[in-house]
Amino acid sequence: MSSTDPAPGDTSDLRSTVATRPVVLDGGLATLLERHGHDLSSHLWSARLLRDDPAAIEDAHREFFAAGAEVATTASYQVSFEGFGTEGVDRGEVERLLRRSVALAAAARDEAAPGGWVAASVGPYGAVLADGSEYRGDYGLDVAALRAFHRPRLDVLASTVGAGADVLAVETVPCLAEVEAVLAELDGSGVPAWLSLSASEGRTRAGEPLEEAFAMAADVAEVLAVGVNCTTPADAGAAVEAAGAHKPAVVYPNSGQSWDAEARAWTGRSAFHPEDVSAWVAAGARLVGGCCRVGPEDIASLREALAGSA
């Protein structure tokens, strides 16, 4: 990945802030867009709206900021050259959509929360497959192949850091091979990022020790936080202490419901309880929020619980 020099203060502010206090992330962007009536059933998920209805994405970011989020995570999770390529979209247009995802989040931040931050989302290889692979980690690809997949998109999003974005959010990573791949691309680049895994019962989705993933990131200066996302609140809480032993911890679980990839629907009842944030923070969490099925009202409650535990 090419090196990028962030504008002065853009990323040091976030890094220094998490060293002194917890920062509130947003929730499930796709969840909110679906609530507002958008059809996200295609394999492009919320990324489709970057092309078809970008204003809806900016409005959703603004809604999370109004609820108390301090960080907007961009709608680039599902954006890939391969995924949009199946729709006949050329590489130049995909690059423009990646940059648009950052511009939309930055516009919402500048209007609703000028002191906030933008995290450019880097989704895992499994997101391109759109079959739930990020919750299994059964890619069958080696580190070299995963590096080759990630590099072009990382290069584009890295170029927005200091020019709209403040940090990369490398998220929902399910296996150590992909951890190794993204860390190899980040190491020495000068581009700040957090690394967040999809995990279950203290292990990656592929069944490897979660502690090993966090340890791999310990000596990569670009990684300002490690942790978990899109896992159950119970699993997220258990992972925070392990993450915090190596870096400031990032934790943003889903609602605790299960994703049925075949039906493309969530099942079960929500187990997201904002009051759990006190335990997360006590265990080392410094970037806290929610993922799928976590809406603005949950983030508002989380922000209130965080204020009460200060």
Side-chain angles (χ1 to χ4, degrees), residues 196-283:
S196 183
L197 282 82
S198 171
S200 177
E201 299 181 349
R203 306 186 77 82
T204 71
R205 294 290 186 172
E208 305 136 330
L210 197 56
E211 170 79 16
E212 189 172 339
F214 299 147
M216 289 167 67
D219 294 327
V220 180
E222 285 78 3
V223 178
L224 60 87
V226 294
V228 292
N229 75 289
C230 216
T231 187
T232 68
D235 280 334
V240 170
E241 187 171 349
H246 299 279
K247 301 269 187 177
V250 55
V251 55
Y252 48 118
N254 58 36
S255 65
Q257 296 165 285
S258 298
W259 173 247
D260 185 330
E262 184 175 343
R264 299 193 66 77
W266 291 91
T267 61
R269 302 179 67 178
S270 176
F272 185 90
H273 302 301
E275 59 269 22
D276 291 341
V277 69
S278 298
W280 300 344
V281 170

Side-chain angles (χ1 to χ4, degrees), residues 59-179:
D59 287 344
H61 286 312
R62 193 179 296 111
E63 194 168 341
F64 273 118
F65 277 127
E70 297 176 89
V71 180
T73 306
T74 65
S76 50
Y77 178 90
Q78 200 88 1
V79 179
S80 69
F81 296 102
E82 295 82 356
F84 271 97
T86 64
E87 301 279 311
V89 179
D90 64 29
R91 294 183 71 84
E93 180 62 18
V94 175
E95 288 190 13
R96 285 189 285 275
L97 292 174
L98 286 167
R99 296 181 190 283
R100 179 179 293 171
S101 73
V102 172
L104 294 170
R109 173 199 58 197
D110 294 346
E111 177 184 332
W117 296 275
V118 169
S121 174
V122 181
Y125 175 76
V128 177
L129 303 179
D131 64 356
S133 291
E134 62 263 57
Y135 307 114
R136 300 191 305 269
D138 53 353
Y139 296 161
L141 297 182
D142 62 15
V143 172
L146 289 167
R147 288 186 68 174
F149 163 76
H150 277 289
R151 188 175 302 124
R153 182 177 50 166
L154 277 169
D155 281 345
V156 176
L157 290 174
S159 72
T160 70
V161 174
D166 300 283
V167 64
L168 300 180
V170 181
E171 52 186 357
T172 330
V173 178
C175 59
L176 293 183
E178 192 159 26
V179 170

